[in-house]
Amino acid sequence: MEIVTAQAPGREVTALYQAHALSLIRLAYAMLGDRQAAEDVVQEAFLGLYRRWSKLRDPASAPGYLRASVLNGCRMVLRASVGRDDRVAGELPWESAEATALVSEEYRHLLRGIQALPPRQREALLLRYYLDLSEEETARSMGVRRGTVKSATSRALAALGRRMQEYS
C-alpha cells in the first residue's frame, strides 16, 4: 500500500507537467528573456510541487500553485541578475541567427517592450492576456489584490502602446 501512495504524486505531477509545462516555460521566458533560466525555474516549481504534494489541500489548486511558484522563481532570478546583464543593449536572447531571421521585427519590438516593463506590470500583462487568466486568478497568482492587477495591467498596456507607436 505504501508503494502505491508514493507513486501517486509522481503520476499526478507528471500529468500536470504534460499539461502545463510548455505554457509555464513560455511565461517564464517572457518574464526573463532567457530560455535556460525559464526552463530551470519551471523545473524547480514542479520539483517543489512534488516535494510538497502531501501538504496540498486540493489537487485542483496545483496549476495555481505552479504559476505562483514560477513567478516567484522569476522574481528571484531577476533580483539576482540586476546589474549583471551581459547582453548588448536592445539585443534579444534568440537561440540562433536563423531563429532571429524568422521572427518579425514587430514581434521582436513587442517582446523588447514587454521585457522592458517593470516586473509587476509584466506579470500582470502576461497572466491576464498571455495565459488568459481572470483578474481574480491573476491576483491570486501574483499575491496581490484585484485592484492592483487592474492598475498594473492598465499601466502596462499604456506603456506598451506608447512603445509600439514609437516603433510604427
Side-chain angles (χ1 to χ4, degrees):
M1 189 64 135
E2 193 172 275
I3 294 172
V4 173
T5 57
Q7 290 177 351
R11 284 194 300 266
E12 295 291 332
V13 174
T14 298
L16 285 165
Y17 185 86
Q18 291 169 343
H20 300 284
L22 186 58
S23 67
L24 291 171
I25 290 169
R26 288 177 178 157
L27 171 65
Y29 178 78
M31 287 292 298
L32 301 172
D34 180 334
R35 182 178 172 181
Q36 285 186 317
E39 290 174 353
D40 289 346
V41 165
V42 171
Q43 289 297 325
E44 286 296 320
F46 277 98
L47 181 59
L49 176 63
Y50 179 80
R51 287 180 179 152
R52 294 173 190 86
W53 187 261
S54 64
K55 296 178 182 173
L56 194 63
R57 290 183 186 159
D58 178 15
S61 67
Y65 170 89
L66 287 166
R67 269 193 308 276
S69 184
V70 166
L71 289 174
N72 286 335
C74 289
R75 289 180 198 125
M76 288 181 359
V77 169
L78 289 170
R79 277 193 298 270
S81 68
V82 170
R84 289 188 346 192
D85 194 356
D86 297 331
R87 289 178 289 173
V88 177
E91 175 187 322
L92 285 175
W94 301 110
E95 296 170 13
S96 67
E98 294 83 14
T100 301
L102 293 174
V103 178
S104 74
E105 183 64 27
E106 186 174 274
Y107 183 70
R108 284 195 298 270
H109 191 73
L110 178 63
L111 279 177
R112 281 189 202 107
I114 290 170
Q115 291 174 347
L117 293 170
R120 181 170 283 192
Q121 289 179 16
R122 190 175 342 145
E123 286 177 28
L125 189 70
L126 292 170
L127 290 170
R128 284 285 291 132
Y129 299 109
Y130 186 73
L131 292 183
D132 200 29
L133 298 180
S134 69
E135 287 175 350
E136 193 61 40
E137 291 169 317
T138 301
R140 275 196 307 274
S141 292
M142 293 176 66
V144 298
R145 293 185 173 166
R146 190 171 167 218
T148 303
V149 170
K150 285 181 172 186
S151 65
T153 303
S154 175
R155 287 185 187 124
L157 288 172
L160 202 52
R162 285 190 301 274
R163 179 153 184 147
M164 293 307 287
Q165 279 183 335
E166 291 170 9
Y167 170 71
S168 56

